[in-house]
Amino acid sequence: QVQLVESGGGLVQAGDSLRLSCAASGPFSKYGMGWFRQAPGKERRFVAAISWSGGTYYADSVKGRFTISRDNNKNTVYLQMNSLKPEDTAVYYCAAHRLTYTIGTSPPDFGSWGQGTQVTVSS
């Protein structure tokens, strides 16, 4: 199992940027990683994912604004969020894929989850 701890959330204004970090313990480099978000009363939704080899995938709502990356030497995955909108307000979760050397974009595809970090974007 991969243990994950998110950080970097906060309260910002529309148009601002934030960089979320997810520190991992365990066999990080073999797993695809993802970011999801969940607003109060809403379903947890896919935001971005990065494969073990560095391929990236994004939800349409964040393409061109968010960038996912990973640093295997630091066992850390990042989510750079630019041009933030109030609609981006949610708890953001980092997750590790259930299987090595594969990647998916649905919550059931991921087996290890962080505790979440709150991102609030005011208008």
Side-chain angles (χ1 to χ4, degrees):
Q1 295 292 322
V2 178
Q3 286 72 237
L4 306 171
V5 180
E6 303 97 332
S7 62
L11 174 62
V12 299
Q13 293 184 321
D16 285 354
S17 297
L18 281 174
R19 190 190 195 193
L20 306 183
S21 298
C22 175
S25 299
F28 172 78
S29 64
K30 296 182 179 181
Y31 291 90
M33 303 292 296
W35 286 96
F36 295 78
R37 64 189 183 187
Q38 187 168 22
K42 305 293 185 180
E43 297 179 341
R44 188 171 299 186
R45 293 188 176 274
F46 170 75
V47 175
I50 185 166
S51 75
W52 67 97
S53 60
T56 57
Y57 310 86
Y58 297 95
D60 288 342
S61 59
V62 305
K63 286 181 179 177
R65 299 190 297 123
F66 291 10
T67 303
I68 188 171
S69 61
R70 66 191 298 163
D71 186 337
N72 289 342
N73 291 328
K74 295 183 177 180
N75 274 15
T76 301
V77 62
Y78 304 97
L79 185 68
Q80 178 67 46
M81 304 185 294
N82 298 328
S83 301
L84 283 162
K85 305 175 181 179
E87 302 93 281
D88 296 318
T89 295
V91 177
Y92 283 70
Y93 297 91
C94 176
H97 203 279
R98 291 184 179 273
L99 303 176
T100 59
Y101 305 112
T102 60
I103 191 65
T105 57
S106 297
D109 295 324
F110 294 80
S112 298
W113 295 82
Q115 82 289 346
T117 185
Q118 177 71 48
V119 173
T120 302
V121 185
S122 63
S123 60

